[in-house]
Amino acid sequence: MLPFILSFGSVLSAQHKITVTIYLDTTKWAPVAYLSLIPDFSQMNTISYDHIIEQAGTNKDGFYEFSTEYFPEKEQLYRIHFSKKGDPPASLIIGGKDHNHFFLFAARKNEISIIVNQGEKLLNELKFEGYYPNKALQEFNIIFKVLDSLDHIGKNVNREYAMSAVYSDIKEYVDTCSLPLVSLYALYNIDYLEDYQSNPGFYRHYLRKWRSQKSLYFRKFRSSIRQEVEPLWVIGAGGGSITLLIFIIMIIYFRRKKKKRKSPLTDLSIQERKVFELLKQGKSNKEIAEECAVSVSTIKSHVNSIFSKLGISSRKEIIEI
Amino acid sequence: MSQNPKFTVMKTLIKKTVAIMILLVIVITVSSGQEYIRLERSKTLQLSKTSEKKEVIIKVTEDYNYIRIKVQGQVHKGDILVELIDPAGEVRRDFTIKTGSAAAQGISLGAKGYVAGEMERAYRDPENGNWLVRVTSGDAEGQLRVYSLLIYNPRTNMIELEQIEKDTDAHIG
């Protein structure tokens, strides 16, 4: 009974929040944590006031808390950062021992605890409790650290070869990770647009695998891939259009040529054409003879010739031509 | 009593040898005191509300076996993209500063009416050639400071480089 009461009590007292346990050196760092919503993985290295959604001072235990009650229902990527004393609240430091931020996934009413172990670096090691995708995120961060450390191996070691090996590890993680957003987060940590050029099959498979994902993160990713593919597509479409245009022009040309060649009028002499035009107007042989100032018999001769050349047998057919 | 001439020559030779050895020890001791050669540079770019690209070139020759680059940006208006590009043209790292609206987020700025971004990278045995820090400004007002530290260490080994890295932490910026 007691465990039930305890667990019931804990449900009642459950607070939906993110708690960050960190002992800041307040001679160097302002005792405030800032929470940013990162709407797009391509903006992970972007700092803007538009991203910051909340700030927190220390609680009674000296730690930092953010309520998750008002968070969007579906999971999103967030960034928590600290600013140095004298720096503005919107302040991002990438690399070095003062690297001042970390990422996490959260959704409405999540309860997440982050314990920061400091060494020489402000954020030396992070331990996540609660929302499980963050543990997967940390697993990936360990792999990514290897990629990051390649800058320190120098040119004596084949950096390209080493990078290719780590890329393979990251892509295997991306391929096997069952959490779509964590998987996509991992993909954004490599130059996937360049990688796409050499391995489009991997990305086609990836897009098919997560085609049911409708989040903004996936929509942006699909859009970026489309933009990468588009130039080729546009060239293809442009090339296709030009081919089609040439084809149409050729058809018109040959049809005209054919028509020209096949047209019976081309076989008529100048005088016969003149007679032909007057016949079309419905004029009689006599009227045509007067207009052309020749004899009626000459006109009859022309008419017979016209009939023969056009393969017709009556004046009515001439009017219909 | 006169000494054997052979013994005298031998004594002189021993004295000279000892003197040379002492000299060598002194030279080695003095030269080991010169740990490494460092070349530190700093450049500030002013951004004055125009859309443009600016570059800071850091030349790396084969003499250097360590480079550390730190870029600090402060933007009051507009936005900037900062890229660190290696001699092969590959973007190694980048970051973006967008001002946005602090008031809309209910954040008190005090006197700090700007947004700050910073990036720091270190490379051992960096590729030779021109390393670039490229800033692309979108109507930005502010400034960008680029620090670079190049080190030539004639007796390169991992332990010494690690010590140099720790030392440079205290110096750069």
Side-chain angles (χ1 to χ4, degrees):
Chain A
M1 189 65 183
L2 187 62
F4 171 75
I5 293 168
L6 283 175
S7 82
F8 183 68
S10 67
V11 167
L12 281 181
S13 64
Q15 292 185 24
H16 305 130
K17 63 187 178 185
I18 297 168
T19 307
V20 185
T21 305
I22 182 170
Y23 295 94
L24 284 177
D25 173 6
T26 51
T27 60
K28 183 176 180 182
W29 298 93
V32 183
Y34 298 94
L35 180 73
S36 296
L37 173 61
I38 308 299
D40 172 2
F41 287 140
S42 69
Q43 293 185 33
M44 286 194 287
N45 288 342
T46 298
I47 181 75
S48 169
Y49 280 110
D50 292 342
H51 290 166
I52 300 175
I53 56 170
E54 201 181 339
Q55 58 183 330
T58 50
N59 67 8
K60 60 181 171 39
D61 299 318
F63 305 134
Y64 303 89
E65 287 179 357
F66 299 100
S67 170
T68 57
E69 291 283 352
Y70 65 92
F71 276 21
E73 205 165 321
K74 292 191 175 171
E75 76 175 340
Q76 308 282 329
L77 183 70
Y78 295 88
R79 180 176 63 205
I80 291 177
H81 80 265
F82 301 91
S83 290
K84 282 182 186 173
K85 276 193 165 171
D87 281 354
S91 167
L92 193 70
I93 302 174
I94 300 166
K97 62 180 182 180
D98 290 339
H99 184 93
N100 70 339
H101 61 279
F102 61 88
F103 296 97
L104 72 153
F105 287 106
R108 187 180 297 168
K109 296 188 176 178
N110 278 161
E111 192 170 355
I112 299 168
S113 163
I114 304 136
I115 298 169
V116 181
N117 290 324
Q118 292 168 278
E120 284 184 345
K121 295 179 177 177
L122 172 70
L123 307 169
N124 198 44
E125 194 188 349
L126 302 169
K127 192 180 170 193
F128 281 86
E129 293 293 337
Y131 192 49
Y132 69 96
N134 291 313
K135 288 192 175 174
L137 188 73
Q138 286 313 104
E139 275 176 31
F140 169 73
N141 285 339
I142 290 166
I143 299 172
F144 180 70
K145 268 188 182 174
V146 179
L147 181 69
D148 207 37
S149 67
L150 293 183
D151 289 337
H152 291 272
I153 64 172
K155 64 189 170 194
N156 295 331
V157 182
N158 190 333
R159 183 173 172 271
E160 291 285 319
Y161 179 78
M163 276 191 73
S164 157
V166 182
Y167 261 49
S168 294
D169 286 349
I170 291 178
K171 281 168 70 179
E172 191 181 334
Y173 182 90
V174 168
D175 196 32
T176 54
C177 182
S178 60
L179 303 164
L181 277 190
V182 177
S183 155
L184 191 62
Y185 171 91
L187 203 50
Y188 268 81
N189 277 276
I190 61 171
D191 189 354
Y192 69 87
L193 289 176
E194 193 179 318
D195 189 53
Y196 175 86
Q197 303 293 340
S198 55
N199 194 4
F202 175 86
Y203 293 90
R204 277 198 292 270
H205 168 74
Y206 187 79
L207 288 168
R208 271 199 304 275
K209 182 181 175 184
W210 298 116
R211 62 178 172 267
S212 61
Q213 292 298 313
K214 306 291 181 204
S215 71
L216 185 62
Y217 299 105
F218 269 93
R219 292 210 304 270
K220 292 270 185 183
F221 173 67
R222 287 186 196 107
S223 167
S224 69
I225 289 282
R226 267 199 299 274
Q227 279 173 8
E228 191 65 16
V229 178
E230 200 168 57
L232 291 173
W233 185 85
V234 168
I235 289 165
S241 303
I242 291 166
T243 310
L244 188 67
L245 191 67
I246 291 169
F247 184 65
I248 290 167
I249 290 169
M250 282 175 74
I251 285 175
I252 292 168
Y253 172 74
F254 283 116
R255 282 187 72 177
R256 280 186 177 177
K257 203 173 173 183
K258 194 177 170 186
K259 199 175 173 182
K260 208 173 175 182
R261 192 169 59 237
K262 292 275 180 178
S263 174
L265 298 180
T266 56
D267 295 334
L268 303 181
S269 67
I270 294 167
Q271 191 64 20
E272 285 169 348
R273 280 186 210 170
K274 193 176 176 184
V275 173
F276 175 80
E277 288 303 319
L278 295 168
L279 283 170
K280 271 183 83 79
Q281 291 169 22
K283 291 188 174 175
S284 66
N285 286 351
K286 193 181 175 186
E287 287 169 334
I288 295 169
E290 283 171 3
E291 200 160 327
C292 296
V294 292
S295 66
V296 174
S297 59
T298 305
I299 295 302
K300 278 182 182 175
S301 169
H302 284 318
V303 170
N304 286 335
S305 178
I306 290 166
F307 280 16
S308 170
K309 286 179 180 176
L310 299 183
I312 54 175
S313 54
S314 70
R315 287 169 180 264
K316 194 181 172 186
E317 282 180 64
I318 284 182
I319 294 165
E320 286 170 0
I321 288 174
Chain B
M1 195 175 104
S2 65
Q3 284 183 335
N4 186 335
K6 279 187 180 176
F7 179 73
T8 309
V9 169
M10 186 75 83
K11 204 174 168 184
T12 311
L13 199 66
I14 289 167
K15 276 182 183 175
K16 281 182 179 174
T17 307
V18 169
I20 288 168
M21 283 177 73
I22 290 168
L23 193 68
L24 272 173
V25 168
I26 290 168
V27 166
I28 289 168
T29 309
V30 169
S31 65
S32 67
Q34 188 189 350
E35 289 173 339
Y36 48 79
I37 298 163
R38 51 187 294 144
L39 177 65
E40 200 169 345
R41 282 178 288 192
S42 170
K43 185 163 186 174
T44 302
L45 301 176
Q46 294 297 333
L47 307 166
S48 51
K49 216 177 177 184
T50 51
S51 293
E52 58 184 345
K53 278 188 183 180
K54 289 184 176 179
E55 288 179 346
V56 174
I57 298 171
I58 301 156
K59 283 186 181 173
V60 177
T61 63
E62 60 187 11
D63 296 333
Y64 297 103
N65 41 33
Y66 182 85
I67 184 172
R68 198 176 188 90
I69 298 168
K70 188 171 180 175
V71 188
Q72 292 177 313
Q74 294 182 351
V75 178
H76 301 267
K77 283 178 185 169
D79 54 84
I80 59 167
L81 165 68
V82 180
E83 295 166 296
L84 174 62
I85 301 165
D86 70 16
E90 184 190 341
V91 177
R92 290 292 189 94
R93 282 290 182 280
D94 63 68
F95 71 93
T96 302
I97 303 177
K98 288 183 179 175
T99 43
S101 168
Q105 308 300 327
I107 294 166
S108 168
L109 289 178
K112 304 290 178 190
Y114 62 88
V115 179
E118 185 177 316
M119 172 173 72
E120 187 178 334
R121 298 300 299 168
Y123 301 94
R124 287 180 184 176
D125 293 324
E127 282 93 335
N128 302 328
N130 288 344
W131 287 69
L132 296 179
V133 174
R134 180 186 292 158
V135 55
T136 308
S137 162
D139 287 333
E141 261 182 43
Q143 65 173 23
L144 194 82
R145 281 182 290 180
V146 179
Y147 299 93
S148 65
L149 177 67
L150 288 157
I151 287 176
Y152 169 59
N153 180 6
R155 297 172 297 111
T156 308
N157 65 53
M158 296 296 267
I159 297 166
E160 282 178 343
L161 272 179
E162 277 168 15
Q163 187 55 49
I164 290 168
E165 282 181 340
K166 283 181 184 173
D167 291 348
T168 54
D169 275 343
H171 287 98
I172 198 162

